[in-house]
Amino acid sequence: SGGRKRQRYVEKDGKCNVQHGNVRETYRYLTDIFTTLVDLKWRFSLLVFILAYAVTWLFFGLIWWFIAYCRGDLDHLEDHAWTPCVNNLNGFVSAFLFSIETETTIGYGHRVITDKCPEGIVLLLLQAILGSMVNAFMVGCMFVKISQPNKRAETLVFSSHAVVSLRDDRLCLMFRVGDLRDSHIVEASIRAKLIKSKQTQEGEFIPLDQTDLSVGFETGDDRLFLVSPLIISHEIDERSPFWDVSRHQLEKDDFEIVVILEGMVEAT
């Protein structure tokens, strides 16, 4: 009340306002490289996507050029009696283009590997296998990043205010939630957390203590059929953390209620 600005634990768009500092074991991010790439910002994800292919093409292009150089193919470009490892490979640029054609399975037909080059056949197999792995990994990362539920949550609307009022002669904390899309949220469930500083009986201070707010877990009302807007209710009884809080104290206390709505999108 009074229009005072509070620092939020979770922003209105669902982003957690928490920054991890002094993380020493940064190698743990690399052990789960897939999730790390998905969590990157879009500009970094696109940079990694481009570099993954460009570096692979350059690496194998260099090897194709090195094989041609070691076999002497570059010294017999005009010798029609000479059988090179790759036909019409006359330098690094053409080796780089052949690497792209091989990994992307374009196959223009102008440059083609011959059967007189066993090391080239082995390299061709390795590039085909590695290229398939790179495709699966990077396309999987892009698909998961595109299908993240951040944008789907834009059409889930919560009421601007929560109210405390009597309902069936019981004091309840209530708010409303609705879905704007025609495709429904399947198996939707809702839960609420009260985040507030707390001091234990032993004197320990807990700055961000999390307490469950019952929104119908015992009765099954937390599982929603979210076709039309619904009113979510938390009964303020003896088990509620608001049981001993007066109206005047409620206006002054520094706390936050985080509501979590989970479910599966019907379309995907």
Side-chain angles (χ1 to χ4, degrees):
S1 61
R4 57 174 176 165
K5 183 68 174 178
R6 293 184 179 181
Q7 186 177 7
R8 299 181 58 91
Y9 182 66
V10 178
E11 300 292 345
K12 283 288 188 179
D13 57 0
K15 294 181 180 178
C16 293
N17 194 18
V18 177
Q19 294 182 353
H20 298 284
N22 196 23
V23 179
R24 297 179 181 179
E25 299 178 348
T26 54
Y27 67 89
R28 295 181 181 272
Y29 293 106
L30 297 178
T31 57
D32 187 13
I33 188 66
F34 185 85
T35 305
T36 301
L37 291 177
V38 171
D39 290 341
L40 288 177
K41 294 182 179 180
W42 265 109
R43 56 179 176 269
F44 297 117
S45 295
L46 292 176
L47 178 62
V48 172
F49 186 85
I50 294 172
L51 286 178
Y53 286 103
V55 171
T56 305
W57 295 337
L58 283 170
F59 174 74
F60 281 101
L62 182 63
I63 297 179
W64 284 114
W65 173 84
F66 184 73
I67 289 176
Y69 175 80
C70 293
R71 295 181 79 255
D73 295 342
L74 302 180
D75 298 328
H76 298 81
L77 296 178
E78 303 298 332
D79 188 357
H80 297 287
W82 179 268
T83 303
C85 184
V86 180
N87 288 329
N88 300 304
L89 194 152
N90 51 24
F92 177 74
V93 175
S94 58
F96 176 66
L97 292 176
F98 179 73
S99 175
I100 297 176
E101 295 166 15
T102 300
E103 192 166 326
T104 58
T105 66
I106 293 176
Y108 288 121
H110 182 65
R111 296 178 195 86
V112 59
I113 189 171
T114 61
D115 57 357
K116 303 297 183 181
C117 182
E119 60 271 25
I121 296 175
V122 173
L123 180 61
L124 181 67
L125 293 174
L126 290 176
Q127 186 172 5
I129 295 172
L130 183 61
S132 299
M133 294 173 62
V134 171
N135 286 333
F137 190 81
M138 298 311 302
V139 172
C141 286
M142 289 294 109
F143 176 77
V144 172
K145 193 168 183 64
I146 291 173
S147 60
Q148 281 184 314
N150 300 347
K151 298 303 180 182
R152 180 63 178 89
E154 295 292 335
T155 53
L156 292 172
V157 182
F158 287 85
S159 54
S160 300
H161 300 88
V163 298
V164 177
S165 178
L166 287 175
R167 196 180 208 193
D168 294 332
D169 204 26
R170 297 173 182 174
L171 202 60
C172 297
L173 170 70
M174 294 176 287
F175 58 91
R176 207 175 193 189
V177 60
D179 189 5
L180 301 180
R181 285 192 179 273
D182 293 332
S183 58
H184 305 307
I185 301 292
V186 182
E187 296 185 8
S189 62
I190 196 166
R191 52 196 173 100
K193 292 279 188 180
L194 173 67
I195 300 178
K196 182 181 178 181
S197 60
K198 174 185 176 182
Q199 189 167 7
T200 65
Q201 296 179 358
E202 294 78 16
E204 179 187 2
F205 179 74
I206 304 176
L208 296 172
D209 183 62
Q210 299 184 12
T211 306
D212 277 324
L213 293 180
S214 177
V215 288
F217 177 77
E218 296 86 357
T219 61
D221 291 337
D222 62 326
R223 295 188 292 273
L224 308 179
F225 183 48
L226 199 58
V227 177
S228 60
L230 299 175
I231 296 177
I232 310 301
S233 176
H234 164 68
E235 183 179 346
I236 303 177
D237 54 11
E238 293 86 352
R239 297 172 297 175
S240 172
F242 297 117
W243 177 251
D244 296 327
V245 180
S246 65
R247 177 177 179 179
H248 181 70
Q249 184 180 356
L250 189 66
E251 295 176 350
K252 290 187 175 182
D253 274 357
D254 190 10
F255 66 91
E256 187 172 337
I257 298 176
V258 177
V259 179
I260 304 167
L261 177 64
E262 297 175 312
M264 294 182 291
V265 179
E266 183 183 39
T268 58

